[in-house]
Amino acid sequence: MKQITAIVRPEILEPLKDALTSAGVHGMAVSEVQGFGNQRGWKEFYRGTEVLLNMVPKVKMCLVVADGEVEELIDIICAVAKTGEVGDGKIFVTPVEEAVRIRTGERGEDAL
């Protein structure tokens, strides 16, 4: 099993969620986060003073899936989230040793 963590633009959340559920994803966790990467934020003027806003709002989506689904889901995330501009986001894939469904006690891929 693998955990796919995608950090994307907030406006991409609904189309991405729809695309992933159409591909058979049954569950995901979504959080609103702030951070910066190469984009380094942007400058705005507040009451005549230039202010650097370096924490960019993003959405963090976490999925735990079977090993065989990873490449297909990465392709879907990239296709939906890519605008070609700085700030499109990142995808991280990490191994998951165990998953347990609390209600039933199911373990491994059966818990997904």
Side-chain angles (χ1 to χ4, degrees), residues 23-86:
V25 172
H26 298 292
M28 63 187 75
V30 177
S31 305
E32 293 180 8
V33 295
Q34 293 184 3
F36 69 90
N38 292 334
Q39 195 172 5
R40 299 275 193 251
W42 67 94
K43 294 178 183 176
E44 284 188 1
F45 286 92
Y46 178 72
R47 295 187 178 177
T49 304
E50 186 176 74
V51 178
L52 176 64
L53 302 171
N54 61 3
M55 298 302 277
V56 181
K58 299 285 183 177
V59 171
K60 180 178 176 181
M61 179 179 286
C62 295
L63 318 164
V64 177
V65 298
D67 290 342
E69 299 175 34
V70 172
E71 289 304 318
E72 176 190 0
L73 296 177
I74 288 174
D75 291 344
I76 290 170
I77 294 167
C78 287
V80 173
K82 184 177 181 179
T83 67
E85 300 293 324
V86 174

